[in-house]
Amino acid sequence: MAGRPRMLALCPAAGINHSPNNGRYHPINTGMGFPAPLFGRRRETSPKMRAALALLLLLAAAHAEHRGKAYVRDKVCQEFKTLGKENFRTLTIIANSRKYSNATFEEIGHLVHEIVSLAETCCAEGADPSCYDAGSSALSAKSCGKSSPFPAHAGTAGCCAQEGLEQKLCLAALRHPPQQLPRYLQPSNEELCQAFKKDPKDFADRFLHEYASSYGQAPLPVLLGSTRTFLSMVSTCCISPAPTACFLKEKLERKTLSLLTLMSNRACSRFTAYGKDKVTVSYLTSLAQKIPSASFEDLFPLAEDAAEVFSQCCDSVAEDCMEKKLSEHTAKACGALAAHDERFADCCKGKNLVQNYFCISALPPAPAAPKLPEVQKPMKAQLCGEEGPRHAKRYLFELARRHTSVPDAFLGKLYDASEKVRGECCFAKDTPACLDSKSLLMGEELPPFLEKADQLCGQYAQLNFLDFKKRLRESLVQKMPQASPELLGRLVEQRAEFASTCCPSNSPPLYCADKVSSELGEACDGGSCLLG
């Protein structure tokens, strides 16, 4: 690990508005050596819950306004004293595992040890007022050393070329991109208890690191609640005389929170990658593929509403924001669409709206697109008019309902291309000529790509995986009769991996966008995919 550029996780300045939020925090001791944050259900906010979320934001802030050395020291010390050392440490693991999602457990451990030691030393009664600033400066220097044990980042060298406060702020702003595919896999009950009984504290630390780095895009209160209930479940059931029954009961009780963590991590990852406008399109086309009989007027308001939920709740510190807003959205969707589709109506029968939303999000595309007239492309004047963005979204909606298996990442590429076309042509000297040139560029290329993607993902949805790979091989043999068995095998594995990862509606957006780009080649780079 020596020689890799390293970074410092302790943010020396935050400038955060620590306003009250809806939530409750209590430290608990599981009886086996580790503390965990505990969420309740009452709407009032305790000082410890506010301190927990304020600390997480303080540690994770990247672009906050500098308020001075005394401000940061006072806030950290206030929260250290409010939470206590162990809960401060627990939350520091979560904060930095979220922020540095590709760091190893050992790297996070070194970082947490330094941060907690700094707070413990400099927040003690009678500590020198300059202690915290001097300590954070020493941590910055350690981050810039060749043998730094802290998480690695390519931007560290640039930060270390700066000095003083600028260096600290630069280091604090560094963060890893979120994990494209969550790596955390829950062990069996027996494996959980074996690891827990061997070393409860190490078990908790490793779980917090793995879970927070895998689901770090979930809202903070959701992530805190999920880790708390999981650790509570393990500590309870592993010492129970009937562990199997205990785990079953506890897992049922935390099912809604588990699903909320999974879904909000996916949704907020997509929101972070796409932004509000593109998330609206993604949600719109997903619904169009599930219920192709529904109209644009039925679906577009729901897509806008979903994007608004994510914009309000992904970064919210209100405990119930995501659960409350997502439940309200699900009720609207069920009210508007249950009559259009029997599968959708079945998802809406449950009393738990979060679980209903999970059911809806897991619905596969409609098995067959309805017979619809050929889609009408937007007219040139429409694309560049005041309603241009809406016309572009309507066109993608129409494509999606006619090609129900085309993956989100491909439709996202078409959206990007449409925005590029409008940006280049709507302000050109000769707008009609610009649009015509883009249309000619892609006129013959878009339909084959749509059909290819629709066929690949349609077969993936209809066949079991072994039959799907067999069909892939048969298709490739027909197209490449001279190919060697080794080449055919590699191509089958590549396409099967793409389909298994990117055909499902909840596919990782950036990862699959890169995969689609390699399939499309330069086809959409000219910016005319929308005009087909």
Side-chain angles (χ1 to χ4, degrees):
M1 306 295 284
R4 291 201 296 160
R6 303 287 167 159
M7 60 186 162
L8 173 69
L10 181 61
C11 182
I16 296 166
N17 177 16
H18 300 289
S19 57
N21 55 79
N22 295 325
R24 187 159 63 98
Y25 178 95
H26 296 287
I28 63 168
N29 192 302
T30 62
M32 295 296 287
F34 56 84
L38 174 63
F39 279 83
R41 280 295 175 192
R42 289 162 52 197
R43 294 185 61 81
E44 65 268 21
T45 306
S46 77
K48 288 195 174 183
M49 178 60 174
R50 285 196 295 270
L53 294 170
L55 172 64
L56 284 167
L57 291 172
L58 185 68
L59 292 172
H63 303 293
E65 173 191 0
H66 178 55
R67 289 194 181 182
K69 303 170 186 175
Y71 170 79
V72 179
R73 180 196 66 226
D74 291 347
K75 290 304 299 179
V76 170
C77 290
Q78 175 189 338
E79 288 146 11
F80 182 80
K81 292 173 182 176
T82 301
L83 293 167
K85 179 180 176 179
E86 286 306 316
N87 285 314
F88 182 95
R89 181 178 175 279
T90 295
L91 291 164
T92 304
I93 294 173
I94 293 174
N96 287 288
S97 297
R98 292 177 88 235
K99 189 175 181 182
Y100 308 130
S101 59
N102 294 318
T104 66
F105 174 71
E106 290 73 22
E107 289 169 344
I108 293 296
H110 285 298
L111 199 50
V112 169
H113 173 74
E114 295 282 0
I115 292 172
V116 174
S117 295
L118 179 65
E120 187 175 26
T121 301
C122 298
C123 297
E125 292 293 333
D128 191 303
S130 64
C131 173
Y132 190 87
D133 183 57
S136 63
S137 296
L139 283 177
S140 292
K142 191 171 184 177
S143 294
C144 294
K146 290 184 178 180
S147 58
S148 170
F150 300 147
H153 195 287
T156 303
C159 292
C160 293
Q162 303 178 44
E163 297 180 354
L165 177 61
E166 288 72 22
Q167 183 187 89
K168 292 181 185 179
L169 290 172
C170 182
L171 288 168
L174 298 176
R175 64 187 306 118
H176 291 163
Q179 290 183 15
Q180 293 282 338
L181 297 167
R183 294 194 293 257
Y184 178 74
L185 294 174
Q186 184 173 316
S188 67
N189 296 344
E190 293 76 14
E191 291 170 328
L192 286 173
C193 289
Q194 183 179 12
F196 168 74
K197 291 175 180 178
K198 181 179 179 182
D199 188 335
K201 188 172 182 293
D202 181 73
F203 168 82
D205 288 352
R206 289 182 182 276
F207 165 74
L208 291 171
H209 163 64
E210 293 175 14
Y211 198 82
S213 59
S214 287
Y215 296 101
Q217 295 296 293
L220 285 175
V222 175
L223 187 62
L224 286 170
S226 191
T227 56
R228 190 279 302 175
T229 58
F230 182 87
L231 292 176
S232 178
M233 174 184 72
V234 172
S235 67
T236 299
C237 295
C238 288
I239 60 174
S240 168
T244 301
C246 178
F247 272 112
L248 178 61
K249 175 177 177 292
E250 293 288 332
K251 287 179 181 180
L252 286 173
E253 288 184 357
R254 69 183 301 270
K255 179 180 178 181
T256 297
L257 185 54
S258 296
L259 292 177
L260 186 63
T261 307
L262 173 67
M263 293 186 299
S264 61
N265 182 70
R266 287 174 177 170
C268 295
S269 294
R270 194 171 297 265
F271 186 84
T272 299
Y274 281 179
K276 189 174 181 180
D277 196 55
K278 190 172 177 180
V279 159
T280 303
V281 174
S282 175
Y283 201 89
L284 171 68
T285 54
S286 176
L287 285 177
Q289 291 178 323
K290 295 176 193 293
I291 315 177
S293 61
S295 69
F296 179 80
E297 288 69 25
D298 289 327
L299 301 186
F300 188 63
L302 292 172
E304 288 188 308
D305 186 67
E308 182 62 27
V309 169
F310 304 141
S311 72
Q312 289 183 21
C313 296
C314 285
D315 292 324
S316 174
V317 295
E319 180 193 353
D320 62 350
C321 182
M322 184 61 80
E323 182 174 358
K324 179 182 177 183
K325 297 288 186 181
L326 200 60
S327 295
E328 292 172 354
H329 168 74
T330 304
K332 292 177 188 176
C334 287
L337 300 178
H340 284 274
D341 184 85
E342 184 177 346
R343 300 181 310 155
F344 203 94
D346 287 341
C347 284
C348 294
K349 290 178 179 178
K351 295 181 180 179
N352 186 306
L353 290 171
V354 171
Q355 294 185 27
N356 291 355
Y357 179 83
F358 178 77
C359 177
I360 292 168
S361 68
L363 281 176
K371 292 182 179 180
L372 296 168
E374 184 178 348
V375 61
Q376 298 298 308
K377 303 177 183 66
M379 293 185 292
K380 298 177 181 67
Q382 290 177 324
L383 276 177
C384 292
E386 185 177 342
E387 291 291 306
R390 188 179 179 92
H391 284 294
K393 292 178 176 70
R394 182 185 286 273
Y395 181 63
L396 289 171
F397 158 80
E398 295 291 353
L399 286 177
R401 70 198 294 229
R402 287 165 172 78
H403 301 275
T404 56
S405 294
V406 171
D408 173 78
F410 186 93
L411 294 169
K413 277 294 193 183
L414 300 189
Y415 168 82
D416 293 339
S418 75
E419 291 300 289
K420 187 175 180 181
V421 166
R422 293 191 339 101
E424 290 180 0
C425 292
C426 293
F427 300 99
K429 290 183 178 180
D430 190 345
T431 294
C434 180
L435 291 172
D436 284 340
S437 69
K438 302 295 184 183
S439 181
L440 287 172
L441 184 66
M442 280 297 296
E444 296 180 358
E445 293 164 328
L446 179 59
F449 278 123
L450 282 171
E451 292 301 328
K452 179 181 176 182
D454 205 24
Q455 181 184 48
L456 179 71
C457 290
Q459 290 178 351
Y460 175 77
Q462 293 165 13
L463 302 173
N464 67 55
F465 197 56
L466 289 177
D467 288 340
F468 172 70
K469 292 175 72 172
K470 182 179 178 182
R471 183 75 60 88
L472 280 178
R473 177 176 284 275
E474 292 170 353
S475 175
L476 287 169
V477 167
Q478 290 181 353
K479 294 177 182 178
M480 306 168 62
Q482 303 303 318
S484 67
E486 293 77 13
L487 176 59
L488 288 173
R490 286 198 303 272
L491 291 174
V492 167
E493 291 303 321
Q494 287 174 6
R495 296 192 181 185
E497 191 273 338
F498 170 82
S500 64
T501 305
C502 298
C503 288
S505 59
N506 290 315
S507 58
L510 296 179
Y511 175 86
C512 291
D514 289 341
K515 291 289 187 181
V516 169
S517 293
S518 65
E519 288 289 324
L520 288 174
E522 298 298 318
C524 282
D525 289 348
S528 59
C529 287
L530 174 71
L531 302 179

